[in-house]
Amino acid sequence: MQLPAFDPTDSEAGWRILEDTTSIACHMQEQVLEEVLTKNADTEYLKGFIDGQPDKELFKKKVPLVDYEDIKPFIERIGNGEPSELISVEPITELIRSSGTSGGEQKMIPTTGEKSNRNAFFYNIAFAVLNKYIQGLKKGKRMYFLFMGPSNYTSGELVVRNAITSDFNDKKLRNLSFNWLDVLTSHDEVILCQDAQKSMYSQLLCGLVQRHEVVRVGTTFASTFLRVIKYLEENWQQLCSDIRTGQISGWITDPNCRLAVSLILNKPMPDLADAIEVVYKGKSWEGTIKKLWPSTKLVEVIVTGSMAQYIPKLEFYCGGIPLVSLPYACSEGLFGINMKPLCNPYDVSYTLLPHMAYYEFLPVDNHQSSNVHLEGGIVDLANVKIGQHYELVVTTFTGLYRYRVGDILMVTDFNHNSPQFKFVQRQQVVLSIDVDKTTEEDLFKAITKAMSIIEPLGFLLTDYTSYAEISSIPSHYVLFWELQMKEGGSIPEPDMVKMEQCCDVVEQSLDVMYRKLRNWRTLSPLEIRVVKPGTFNQLMDFFLSQGTSFSQYKTPKCIKSERAIKILNSSVVGRFSSKVLPKLPS
Ligand code: AMP
């Protein structure tokens, strides 16, 4: 499909295109499907279902809904050197490696050469949305932390890398997309440094030196951003010392990275070092972002879905700078944009751009934790209903047909006939021991309620995860919590009674089936294990060592890996269990 052309420096034009598109989104979706089928009806995959006929109704009747496991054999065959025409007339140029931390295993998603145009269009529209609401962005720099993952090759010589690494290295995309990367505080060589810690240190150094020019800060997901802030807290003295002397530390050994930093840190800057010291020698780290980068107008990080847990901590650091959650994007494609970037971070909804894919929606029961699919079947964009939860299904220009993304979205509103979606959660049930089924969202809501017991005592939840402890019978849910003090400093031992109350509140907030099983003693009391500060960073390091990308990492909300559970268990400093049975409805 011909993407609407506009001058990417003209934000008004970009906004107009977005508005025009949303008013005819349903019509455009029909065109997208027609184009995908006209091109690809003869591929081996589609031929098996629609016999070469580019007929939309036949497609909806005959082509099955699939998940990654179903299409993996086709992708592997292409990876092994068989022709792309198995699934796509456009040659498959790359396989995009997913993070594997939101949905279990790492997937390899095919992509084609035309993704450069499509993704550039998405980034340009996203920037137009920001410009519509926030003045002065074009005048300043963007301290956006990016981390590259490895590039590997399949036996058929196809490159495999994560989405961010792919886009960063895509020259055509970068030429086409105004303001995505050309105003970063760090040069490419700093971002391309393969050692994530060295790259993070160097990106921070560049950002600090240019602190008065920075108007936007951020990274893809909230969790990565907090990791960077934590790193800054732990390493500010060394950064100050480098700034004071004008010399980058010797342990940054990558020569290209050193050279690139030295173009920015090119003389001793004792005044700047003093100013940073003032911030960090203060009693509290509240508002650090505002203090260090005073011209910042927004913090760009995804804070929806499981990332919502980080909002209180981010707000603590931001000092009133708005948190902007702009894209809804996956390795499968860039799909949604938040058209109200300055809305409350808890109320973010995304508009699915009709150019990016053909979308279908599989209704799921809003009231059942297990995401049961409802009778009545799949609908298209034109037929979704406000308040209903759906699993997103996409047909792309890159060889995915009726592919279940695995995300649950809820329709919140319509904007010019175009539905707005709240990201609810990943599709999977995270915890289940018997017939109980607890989802990511159930767990998040229950933990948020429980935290209200210890928040008044100054505690913040740094991160959490869970696992089903089934080695003893009856079995039980275990939650790992890492805590920190709002005001910084060391953490007092959490009060036993209060922590037991937290366990009770979590149980009481879980669904009726869970509470019944507890009352029947099929499940034993839920346990919270408090872990040492820094444990979730170790967990992240473990997943990074398994090939997950730093930029796309999301803490898994239920851990299955024995090695990961071992890491968590080895850092436990307190164990607490619920003491009362949860109440049942009368
Ligand atoms: P990956 O393919 O590894 O980059 O992970 C993509 C997944 O990240 C999506 O399927 C979602 O589950 C999650 N994700 C992406 N964008 C958002 C968002 N705006 N809010 C919440 N989760 C998101």
Side-chain angles (χ1 to χ4, degrees):
M1 170 188 253
Q2 197 67 30
L3 291 163
F6 70 102
D7 173 1
T9 61
D10 181 353
S11 300
E12 274 302 313
W15 177 260
R16 270 198 309 277
I17 283 179
L18 184 57
E19 288 230 297
D20 292 350
T21 320
T22 50
S23 49
I24 52 163
C26 301
H27 170 67
M28 285 182 73
Q29 282 282 277
E30 291 302 310
Q31 289 180 336
V32 166
L33 182 58
E34 198 162 310
E35 179 175 333
V36 171
L37 292 183
T38 307
K39 277 191 179 157
N40 296 297
D42 267 330
T43 54
E44 181 178 321
Y45 181 80
L46 278 184
K47 229 194 207 143
F49 305 112
I50 56 172
D51 196 25
Q53 298 176 60
D55 178 325
K56 289 185 279 186
E57 288 316 309
L58 194 64
F59 171 82
K60 290 183 198 172
K61 211 155 120 205
K62 296 280 183 185
V63 177
L65 301 184
V66 291
D67 58 22
Y68 182 67
E69 283 306 310
D70 297 316
I71 56 162
K72 195 169 155 189
F74 285 88
I75 296 173
E76 283 177 348
R77 281 170 63 190
I78 293 170
N80 291 338
E82 288 193 48
S84 303
E85 283 88 41
L86 282 177
I87 58 168
S88 165
V89 165
E90 289 271 337
I92 302 294
T93 48
E94 258 184 74
L95 296 177
I96 304 294
R97 187 192 291 115
S98 76
S99 65
T101 48
S102 45
E105 69 166 327
Q106 286 192 327
K107 296 172 273 182
M108 288 195 297
I109 306 295
T111 193
T112 66
E114 63 91 59
K115 96 139 191 214
S116 313
N117 296 337
R118 210 164 291 282
N119 287 9
F121 174 75
F122 183 93
Y123 292 127
N124 289 335
I125 289 283
F127 188 59
V129 171
L130 282 186
N131 255 294
K132 165 93 184 150
Y133 289 95
I134 306 166
Q135 309 302 312
L137 294 181
K138 288 183 191 160
K139 295 202 186 97
K141 292 210 170 180
R142 183 182 188 207
M143 184 177 69
Y144 195 76
F145 295 91
L146 282 165
F147 302 96
M148 298 295 108
S151 297
N152 309 108
Y153 288 85
T154 64
S155 59
E157 301 285 297
L158 265 187
V159 63
V160 185
R161 51 192 171 185
N162 68 52
I164 289 170
T165 308
S166 169
D167 281 358
F168 190 82
N169 285 287
D170 183 337
K171 289 202 177 68
K172 185 172 173 201
L173 186 161
R174 290 181 61 170
N175 277 336
L176 291 171
S177 64
F178 170 76
N179 216 290
W180 183 51
L181 295 171
D182 48 351
V183 290
L184 288 185
T185 43
S186 296
H187 293 307
D188 282 14
E189 293 76 6
V190 177
I191 291 163
L192 288 169
C193 174
Q194 282 287 328
D195 181 317
Q197 188 159 326
K198 290 178 180 152
S199 177
M200 178 159 48
Y201 184 90
S202 307
Q203 290 187 49
L204 275 168
L205 208 44
C206 296
L208 285 167
V209 171
Q210 300 166 86
R211 67 189 276 253
H212 288 292
E213 291 166 65
V214 170
V215 288
R216 308 156 69 182
V217 308
T219 186
T220 318
F221 287 105
S223 51
T224 314
F225 189 71
L226 285 173
R227 174 84 190 250
V228 173
I229 299 304
K230 182 88 191 145
Y231 185 82
L232 174 58
E233 262 174 35
E234 289 167 359
N235 294 280
W236 66 268
Q237 281 157 313
Q238 196 182 355
L239 286 158
C240 275
S241 150
D242 286 9
I243 290 170
R244 195 173 293 286
T245 58
Q247 296 285 328
I248 181 168
S249 294
W251 66 277
I252 307 292
T253 42
D254 180 325
N256 294 333
C257 175
R258 283 187 76 82
L259 182 63
V261 175
S262 71
L263 298 177
I264 290 167
L265 177 64
N266 52 13
K267 58 174 191 282
M269 298 182 175
D271 293 348
L272 175 60
D274 289 345
I276 298 168
E277 267 180 20
V278 168
V279 171
Y280 275 101
K281 281 189 172 158
K283 265 186 110 186
S284 163
W285 290 333
E286 192 160 4
T288 320
I289 303 289
K290 180 84 191 158
K291 289 175 191 160
L292 287 175
W293 293 278
S295 309
T296 305
K297 294 172 189 288
L298 72 153
V299 175
E300 298 172 75
V301 277
I302 290 176
V303 289
T304 43
S306 67
M307 295 291 146
Q309 63 171 308
Y310 304 114
I311 294 174
K313 259 189 95 176
L314 286 167
E315 287 179 334
F316 173 79
Y317 286 117
C318 285
I321 304 169
L323 286 175
V324 172
S325 197
L326 201 60
Y328 164 58
C330 334
S331 304
E332 289 83 355
L334 309 178
F335 298 138
I337 289 186
N338 168 9
M339 286 178 70
K340 295 180 186 148
L342 294 178
C343 69
N344 181 324
Y346 291 100
D347 294 335
V348 173
S349 286
Y350 299 98
T351 301
L352 297 180
L353 294 194
H355 323 77
M356 307 306 284
Y358 176 70
Y359 310 106
E360 290 175 276
F361 304 87
L362 196 54
V364 293
D365 192 334
N366 300 1
H367 306 294
Q368 293 228 18
S369 318
S370 50
N371 293 326
V372 175
H373 289 116
L374 290 176
E375 292 295 317
I378 190 159
V379 294
D380 56 17
L381 197 71
N383 290 300
V384 295
K385 299 208 163 33
I386 289 188
Q388 178 62 52
H389 287 198
Y390 297 95
E391 183 184 344
L392 179 66
V393 175
V394 294
T395 294
T396 66
F397 294 90
T398 58
L400 302 179
Y401 305 101
R402 310 197 91 195
Y403 171 91
R404 294 168 60 169
V405 175
D407 291 337
I408 304 291
L409 310 178
M410 185 187 83
V411 184
T412 51
D413 202 356
F414 280 84
N415 178 22
H416 301 307
N417 298 326
S418 192
Q420 316 276 293
F421 295 92
K422 177 180 174 205
F423 182 94
V424 179
Q425 60 181 346
R426 290 291 301 175
Q427 188 257 338
Q428 288 98 332
V429 168
V430 291
L431 281 169
S432 176
I433 289 177
D434 192 88
V435 288
D436 53 305
K437 290 185 171 51
T438 298
T439 66
E440 208 173 281
E441 196 192 20
D442 298 332
L443 202 58
F444 173 60
K445 284 186 176 156
I447 291 176
T448 306
K449 263 197 194 156
M451 272 307 291
S452 65
I453 295 177
I454 57 168
E455 264 162 10
L457 307 176
F459 288 99
L460 277 181
L461 186 63
T462 306
D463 213 336
Y464 71 87
T465 187
S466 65
Y467 88 104
E469 166 55 274
I470 48 168
S471 62
S472 55
I473 295 187
S475 304
H476 68 287
Y477 288 10
V478 173
L479 310 183
F480 291 99
W481 285 15
E482 183 178 319
L483 297 169
Q484 73 172 100
M485 297 313 288
K486 206 169 178 190
E487 297 297 328
S490 61
I491 306 170
E493 206 173 301
D495 178 85
M496 169 83 98
V497 176
K498 295 270 182 212
M499 286 307 293
E500 286 173 356
Q501 275 175 17
C502 289
C503 298
D504 296 340
V505 171
V506 172
E507 289 205 309
Q508 190 57 51
S509 311
L510 295 179
D511 75 354
V512 178
M513 184 47 78
Y514 175 87
R515 285 181 274 146
K516 278 188 184 159
L517 292 168
R518 275 284 288 122
N519 278 270
W520 299 336
R521 311 291 197 278
T522 311
L523 298 179
S524 57
L526 176 140
E527 188 186 348
I528 294 178
R529 297 184 188 164
V530 175
V531 294
K532 279 194 284 218
T535 305
F536 276 78
N537 281 347
Q538 277 178 33
L539 185 74
M540 183 173 185
D541 290 340
F542 166 73
F543 282 106
L544 298 185
S545 74
Q546 306 294 299
T548 296
S549 128
F550 195 174
S551 295
Q552 286 163 252
Y553 176 78
K554 308 151 202 88
T555 305
K557 291 299 150 211
C558 179
I559 304 273
K560 306 243 160 57
S561 148
E562 299 250 332
R563 284 171 66 196
I565 293 173
K566 214 164 153 191
I567 292 169
L568 293 163
N569 272 330
S570 66
S571 299
V572 171
V573 290
R575 288 167 183 252
F576 310 91
S577 292
S578 61
K579 288 286 176 280
V580 293
L581 285 172
K583 290 195 196 81
L584 289 170
S586 44

